[in-house]
Amino acid sequence: MVMSDKILTTGIGSLPEMQIDKAFEYSLQFDIPFFPQILSIHGNMIDQINNSNFHGLQDFYDHCTRDHKKLVKVQIAGPATTGLPVSHYKKIFSKLDSLSFNGQVLIFIDEPVWNEFTIDHIRNLGRKVSIHTCANLSDFQLDDNLLNDLDFFSYDYLLNPNLHNKVSNYEKLIPGCVDKDGKYSNILFEGYKIISPTCGLAGSSDISLVLKNLRTLKDPPIE
């Protein structure tokens, strides 16, 4: 995996209404660009999977290649959220695999409520399992053995500030530490590799502030 010794920034997925090229421009400002989901283009995250709608994804990969990005992120709604069978997800992954990118693609499964079903479902497809959730997590979901089965776990740090005390491998955690309005929380980043917003930014009134505050957390000013 292409990774840096420094903390990297990435996003979740959804962005406010805008032209898709503008969405790409915003995403490319992150260390790990993320494929943007625009409601009027892709529908909500369940619509997107129901309709296998990844309009613009190859163009996004091309933008990332021109910008010399070697690692990108694509997020899709998961099976516990959509209720769709393994066969549908096989088609989704086949579609994603049919596109070309000169680098590595991290595919995240968005599950507000997740469990072993999600992990088993994706593993049955021969895939790595990286999950994003915006939820206030239950003790079951914070079980170290369950989390250790994941490649990455992206979560809302503002709702779950003590999750790092419950796992043995910080490098798997992606704390979402800036919300859609730019509110953020300082955290101890020892061991973390990637940080992000808490969730998608479709409801944000100032996505530039979100990115600015993520960068402040990544590289705090020297006092």
Side-chain angles (χ1 to χ4, degrees):
M1 178 178 295
V2 181
M3 195 61 79
S4 167
D5 290 335
K6 296 182 179 180
I7 297 167
L8 304 177
T9 59
T10 194
I12 301 304
S14 65
L15 288 176
E17 288 297 329
M18 66 180 75
Q19 293 182 340
I20 197 162
D21 281 350
K22 292 294 183 183
F24 292 166
E25 287 177 15
Y26 177 74
S27 178
L28 282 163
Q29 295 178 73
F30 289 73
D31 299 312
I32 304 173
F34 59 97
F35 179 59
Q37 180 232 337
I38 308 296
L39 191 62
S40 62
I41 298 173
H42 303 108
N44 62 40
M45 68 178 190
I46 296 176
D47 293 336
Q48 184 178 44
I49 297 302
N50 278 332
N51 300 318
S52 302
N53 182 354
F54 295 92
H55 175 76
L57 182 55
Q58 183 62 65
D59 195 23
F60 171 69
Y61 287 162
D62 293 342
H63 276 72
C64 291
T65 298
R66 289 194 293 271
D67 212 45
H68 306 291
K69 300 290 188 179
K70 295 295 184 181
L71 186 61
V72 301
K73 175 178 176 284
V74 175
Q75 187 149 315
I76 62 176
T81 296
T82 65
L84 293 169
V86 170
S87 58
H88 188 81
Y89 277 87
K90 284 182 178 178
K91 294 176 182 177
I92 293 291
F93 283 113
S94 292
K95 182 168 186 174
L96 296 178
D97 290 342
S98 70
L99 304 177
S100 61
F101 174 63
N102 185 27
Q104 184 175 1
V105 180
L106 300 177
I107 297 178
F108 275 69
I109 308 301
D110 192 332
E111 295 279 42
V113 178
W114 64 280
N115 50 37
E116 306 108 311
F117 169 73
T118 300
I119 296 175
D120 293 343
H121 198 97
I122 302 305
R123 279 230 183 85
N124 285 338
L125 297 171
R127 298 283 171 165
K128 293 184 177 181
V129 183
S130 297
I131 287 179
H132 166 75
T133 181
C134 301
N136 192 338
L137 298 166
S138 67
D139 288 341
F140 169 76
Q141 291 170 313
L142 295 176
D143 180 81
D144 194 13
N145 292 326
L146 198 60
L147 291 175
N148 282 336
D149 279 343
L150 305 178
D151 291 279
F152 284 109
F153 185 58
S154 165
Y155 69 102
D156 186 330
Y157 176 84
L158 301 183
L159 290 178
N160 305 278
N162 298 314
L163 188 147
H164 60 282
N165 293 327
K166 298 178 180 289
V167 298
S168 57
N169 188 350
Y170 280 17
E171 293 188 10
K172 295 187 176 201
L173 299 180
I174 302 179
C177 37
V178 182
D179 73 10
K180 65 181 179 60
D181 299 314
K183 176 185 174 183
Y184 65 93
S185 174
N186 288 299
I187 64 177
L188 179 64
F189 287 120
E190 182 178 355
Y192 293 125
K193 294 294 186 182
I194 308 171
I195 60 174
S196 75
T198 58
C199 205
L201 300 179
S204 174
S205 59
D206 191 349
I207 59 175
S208 62
L209 178 62
V210 174
L211 179 57
K212 176 184 176 183
N213 288 345
L214 269 179
R215 287 173 167 171
T216 297
L217 288 171
K218 172 185 171 178
D219 297 307
I222 299 174
E223 298 182 358

